[in-house]
């Protein structure tokens, strides 16, 4: 039988180094408190069964009110923590009843944890009683004595900077804490060091990520804000396309490329999928045609669960030389078209608690010469998705931006000519990631779709 997996989120600290009266986990970034962002990572992870939050008693009312307003499904306990981090993790760990469970301990102030790291921690718990997450140190680390003189310069290649989550077999970490209590040692800042101290088994180290920062000092808030702007996620393979069965899906831009693939794949998995494009007189930049298309689907199918808008045009050349009407068309299709789809689609998705997928491109993070308008419309899509996700949070409708790398579509062929097929994503791969995103509980995210690296170094 599968071991039950708990996430214990440590949030009982007071954030002294941040220096605000509000503990840092309750500060807001990108429209939500830091702890909500962190909880979302675990709540949306298909392998996490339950989440316990460990807090300072005085923050309980505040947290409870926050949780009442959000849509988390897996939080089953809110526990009172202790004066030190170790006391707080002791409380969290001992609230787990099953001895054969896995426990992932995570700092509430690391909101950029990826699902990839969580997966690797869980995978390695099959073999090891403890798993840590760490990144190589780019700076040289030195040891100093009381007079602030260097006493040692350890070899950098052997050093790592620890992050969280740290994963454990429940029985092993409970034992470690018991032994530590007997010794009255309450002063470690992480739990893996207890496993090491009492020699309770191998501690495997998973490669962490630079962006998985611990928000500690005031300047980290600026950095965190920037990371939120450009943060992307990958869609997890644990999501089953079988869940599309009998769902109703609408695709705009469905006559070719990614849109066509989405339609085909959704139908193969039992969805009722309706495709629109200029071929059947639906142009996303024409609001009337979008409204009518959705109305007709709703009348014939009785509901709409998912809407994907893949309609897009790409023109190139120096802006100053390009035809104005053509530039306006690019903005109308790529940007205003998505606004039309969102505005017309929301009333149906509100009824079904559904999801919208829009399309961006890797050029959203920085404007590209010769593709100035295309790349700026794609940046606009990301801001649209981030802003809308916040505006519709209470509706339980999700909205995300799919960010495929170069894909073998007719649009790409037209603009870039024939390219080696192994350098391009198959539209079916993008379609699969899009459908999985719409089935997931992600919202406000940029979902990266990349080729699995088929050649080393590519
Ligand atoms: N933590 C906890 N219980 C404590 C101390 C810390 O649950 N008694 C949690 C914090 O809430 C935080 C994580 O452990 O999510 C990492 O700790 P740290 O960054 O040190 O947070 P604070 O202790 O709040 O900050 P500071 O040390 O600056 O006071
Ligand atoms: Mg602390």
């Amino acid at each position: 039988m599968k071991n039950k997996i708990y996430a214990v989120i440590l949030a009982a600290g007071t954030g002294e180094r941040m220096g605000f009266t509000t503990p840092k986990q309750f500060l807001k970034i990108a429209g939500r408190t830091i702890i909500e962002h962190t909880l979302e990572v675990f709540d949306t992870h298909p392998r996490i069964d339950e989440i316990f939050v460990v807090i300072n008693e005085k923050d309980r009312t505040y947290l409870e009110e926050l949780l009442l307003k959000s849509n988390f499904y897996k939080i089953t306990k809110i526990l009172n923590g202790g004066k030190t981090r170790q006391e707080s993790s002791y409380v969290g760990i001992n609230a787990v009843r099953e001895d054969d469970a896995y426990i992932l301990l995570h700092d509430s102030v690391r909101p950029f944890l990826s699902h990839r790291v969580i997966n690797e921690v869980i995978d390695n718990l099959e073999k090891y009683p403890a798993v840590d997450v760490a990144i190589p140190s780019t700076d040289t680390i030195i040891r100093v004595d009381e007079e602030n003189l260097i006493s040692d310069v350890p070899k950098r290649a052997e050093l790592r900077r620890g992050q969280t989550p740290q994963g454990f077999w429940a029985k092993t970490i409970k034992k470690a804490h018991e032994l530590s209590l007997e010794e009255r040692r309450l002063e470690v800042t992480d739990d893996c060091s207890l496993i090491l101290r009492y020699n309770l088994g191998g501690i495997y180290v998973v490669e962490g990520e630079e962006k998985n920062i611990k928000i500690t000092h005031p300047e980290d808030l600026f950095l965190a804000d920037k990371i939120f702007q450009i943060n992307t996620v990958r869609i997890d393979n644990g999501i089953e396309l079988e869940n599309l069965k009998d769902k109703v899906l609408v695709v705009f831009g469905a006559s070719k490329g990614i849109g066509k693939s989405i339609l085909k794949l959704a139908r193969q998995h039992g969805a009722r999928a309706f495709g629109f494009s200029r071929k059947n007189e639906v142009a996303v930049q024409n609001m009337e045609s979008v409204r009518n298309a959705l109305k007709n689907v709703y009348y014939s199918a009785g509901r709409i669960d998912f809407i994907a808008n893949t309609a897009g045009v790409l023109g190139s050349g120096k802006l100053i030389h390009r035809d104005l009407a053509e530039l306006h068309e690019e903005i109308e299709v790529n940007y205003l078209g998505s606004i039309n789809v969102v505005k017309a689609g929301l009333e149906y998705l509100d009824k079904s608690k559904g999801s919208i997928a829009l399309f961006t491109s890797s050029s959203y993070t920085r404007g590209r010469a010769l593709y100035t308008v295309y790349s700026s419309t794609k940046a606009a899509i990301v801001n649209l998705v981030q802003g809308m996700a916040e505006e519709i949070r209470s509706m339980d409708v999700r909205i995300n931006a799919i960010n495929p790398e170069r894909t073998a579509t007719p649009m790409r062929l037209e603009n870039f000519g024939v390219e080696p097929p192994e350098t391009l994503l198959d539209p079916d791969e993008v379609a699969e990631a899009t459908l999985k995103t719409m089935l997931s509980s992600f919202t406000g995210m940029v979902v990266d779709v990349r080729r699995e690296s088929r050649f080393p170094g590519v």
Side-chain angles (χ1 to χ4, degrees):
M1 217 187 68
K2 182 186 143 312
N3 305 64
K4 210 164 163 195
I5 304 178
Y6 291 85
V8 172
I9 308 301
L10 299 172
T14 51
E16 302 244 320
R17 284 169 288 179
M18 187 59 75
F20 298 141
T21 42
T22 307
K24 56 191 179 178
Q25 54 274 29
F26 300 120
L27 299 176
K28 270 194 177 180
I29 308 181
R32 287 177 110 182
T33 59
I34 292 170
I35 191 171
E36 285 175 279
H37 289 290
T38 307
L39 289 169
E40 168 124 341
V41 174
F42 287 94
D43 205 69
T44 56
H45 195 293
R47 293 169 80 182
I48 301 292
D49 296 303
E50 285 185 43
I51 302 172
F52 296 173
V53 190
V54 185
I55 50 145
N56 190 316
E57 209 178 342
K58 70 175 171 41
D59 299 323
R60 175 172 290 270
T61 316
Y62 180 76
L63 182 75
E64 284 174 353
E65 276 169 15
L66 209 60
L67 296 180
L68 277 175
K69 279 186 265 159
S70 15
N71 300 311
F72 296 118
Y73 301 93
K74 299 181 184 169
I75 299 170
T76 48
K77 281 186 186 165
I78 300 174
L79 303 158
N80 291 334
K83 279 193 281 304
T84 64
R85 186 185 186 280
Q86 193 182 353
E87 284 177 57
S88 296
S89 68
Y90 177 84
V91 169
I93 287 158
N94 281 292
V96 172
R97 286 203 199 91
E98 303 89 338
D99 268 350
D100 62 350
Y102 294 163
I103 303 177
L104 270 55
L105 284 171
H106 187 66
D107 295 331
S108 62
V109 287
R110 291 186 192 270
F112 301 112
L113 174 66
S114 72
H115 281 190
R116 197 265 310 157
V117 170
I118 294 178
N119 275 328
E120 285 192 29
V121 170
I122 295 172
D123 288 345
N124 282 290
L125 283 172
E126 303 289 331
K127 267 191 276 171
Y128 301 95
V131 179
D132 202 354
V133 173
I135 52 173
S137 172
T138 44
D139 297 317
T140 298
I141 308 268
I142 54 177
R143 197 191 301 276
V144 290
D145 63 17
E146 299 91 74
E147 270 108 65
N148 215 32
L149 300 174
I150 290 188
S151 58
D152 190 18
V153 184
K155 244 199 250 163
R156 199 178 61 192
E158 289 174 5
L159 297 175
R160 297 286 182 279
R161 288 158 54 206
Q163 302 186 332
T164 68
Q166 296 187 323
F168 304 95
W169 295 351
K171 61 168 186 284
T172 311
I173 190 64
K174 284 184 189 177
K175 172 120 191 261
H177 274 266
E178 291 312 326
L179 291 170
S180 172
L181 268 185
E182 280 169 25
E183 249 199 288
R184 302 194 182 286
R185 281 178 53 89
L186 284 169
E187 282 312 315
V188 292
T189 54
D190 83 296
D191 295 81
C192 281
S193 58
L194 292 177
I195 305 287
L196 187 67
R197 178 174 175 83
Y198 302 113
N199 204 10
L200 297 175
I203 309 163
Y204 186 77
V205 182
V206 161
E207 177 106 10
E209 290 172 2
E210 286 288 347
K211 72 171 187 188
N212 185 18
I213 59 168
K214 179 159 74 72
I215 297 173
T216 306
H217 299 107
E219 50 274 27
D220 295 334
L221 293 174
F222 293 104
L223 180 61
D225 199 47
K226 285 282 168 231
I227 300 177
F228 270 116
Q229 260 171 34
I230 57 163
N231 193 29
T232 59
V233 295
R234 302 289 295 275
I235 193 73
D236 194 87
N237 278 325
I239 296 167
E240 303 287 345
L241 290 182
E242 272 38 63
N243 295 331
L244 284 169
K245 193 159 174 5
D246 299 328
K247 293 278 193 273
V248 179
L249 167 81
V250 176
V251 182
F252 290 98
S255 65
K256 53 188 181 182
I258 295 169
K260 193 174 169 187
S261 287
I262 294 175
L263 209 57
K264 182 189 68 183
L265 199 63
R267 283 180 183 149
Q268 279 169 6
H269 288 88
R272 301 168 68 188
F274 299 82
F276 297 99
S277 68
R278 275 171 300 188
K279 283 211 173 125
N280 45 19
E281 261 91 65
V282 176
V284 285
Q285 65 273 41
N286 176 343
M287 183 57 151
E288 257 337 281
S289 72
V290 173
R291 276 218 183 95
N292 285 333
L294 292 171
K295 207 191 288 168
N296 290 338
V297 171
Y298 187 75
Y299 280 131
S300 73
R303 57 185 291 137
I304 298 174
D305 299 287
F306 304 121
I307 302 176
N309 178 25
T310 64
V313 291
L314 184 156
S316 65
K318 281 191 175 171
L319 184 116
I320 201 146
H321 297 146
R322 288 187 59 202
D323 177 59
L324 189 65
E326 226 181 77
L327 294 175
H328 284 194
E329 197 207 340
E330 211 168 335
I331 297 168
E332 278 173 15
V333 176
N334 294 0
Y335 184 42
L336 299 181
S338 283
I339 291 182
N340 288 345
V341 169
V342 170
K343 224 167 150 37
L346 270 179
E347 61 172 294
Y348 303 106
L349 299 175
D350 188 22
K351 294 194 188 108
S352 62
K353 301 196 187 310
S355 186
I356 306 184
L358 303 179
F359 278 75
T360 185
S361 106
S362 53
S363 63
Y364 84 89
T365 53
R366 189 178 55 82
R368 298 281 198 273
L370 305 180
Y371 304 97
T372 306
V373 170
Y374 181 78
S375 59
S376 48
T377 61
K378 293 303 175 179
I381 293 295
V382 170
N383 278 22
L384 175 66
V385 160
Q386 291 171 337
M388 279 311 295
E390 264 181 56
E391 284 188 23
I392 62 177
R393 185 94 60 196
S394 62
M395 288 168 78
D396 218 357
V397 174
R398 284 101 57 219
I399 178 165
N400 295 286
I402 310 297
N403 180 27
E405 65 173 12
R406 31 169 81 184
T407 308
T409 60
M411 184 174 89
R412 176 118 201 144
L413 183 67
E414 200 178 299
N415 283 279
F416 298 90
V418 179
E419 299 169 283
E422 67 276 12
T423 66
L424 298 175
L425 265 173
D426 187 319
D428 287 353
E429 291 176 76
V430 183
E432 186 177 333
T434 306
L435 291 168
K436 284 183 173 175
T437 301
M438 291 197 289
L439 286 167
S440 77
S441 39
F442 279 141
T443 190
M445 295 291 179
V446 177
V447 178
D448 275 348
V449 192
R450 295 198 204 118
R451 255 169 332 121
E452 291 315 323
S453 191
R454 287 166 197 150
F455 304 102
V458 174

